[in-house]
Amino acid sequence: MKKLLIVGAAGLVAAMGFATIAAAAAADPKSQTVPKGWNYEIKDGKRVAKANRQTNADGSWREENRQGKCVTVKEKSAAGEYKESRRCS
């Protein structure tokens, strides 16, 4: 009977630990990540397509983000000039 009580108490402590970890992960949406190379990320618990960003050696970059039939293009030059355009087909 004593062994059964000790094993039961140990199981209860372990279950409470796992529940605490799960609750902490659910409370913080930033803790939800996807592996590198996947084409989406988690924002507010929903899958959102990642932007396709190309960075150049001089610090300039170009990013394309699709939302349905529309494409948003964001560009920043090495001099710091930012340009954003959107086209829908």
Side-chain angles (χ1 to χ4, degrees):
M1 182 71 170
K2 193 174 187 179
K3 280 185 183 180
L4 186 59
L5 185 61
I6 292 172
V7 171
L12 181 62
V13 169
M16 289 175 58
F18 287 124
T20 304
I21 292 170
D28 184 15
K30 291 183 180 181
S31 67
Q32 296 178 342
T33 58
V34 294
K36 270 190 164 182
W38 286 27
N39 64 350
Y40 67 88
E41 57 191 350
I42 307 291
K43 286 188 180 179
D44 297 326
K46 298 176 185 169
R47 283 181 14 172
V48 178
K50 277 186 183 178
N52 185 13
R53 181 179 280 201
Q54 299 152 349
T55 306
N56 300 323
D58 62 356
S60 63
W61 53 266
R62 175 184 167 90
E63 178 179 293
E64 290 187 16
N65 192 3
R66 294 190 176 274
Q67 293 177 333
K69 293 183 178 182
C70 298
V71 178
T72 303
V73 178
K74 299 177 184 178
E75 297 175 297
K76 188 168 185 181
S77 69
E81 299 167 339
Y82 178 77
K83 182 172 69 170
E84 184 173 330
S85 62
R86 182 176 174 95
R87 59 177 196 266
C88 298
S89 56

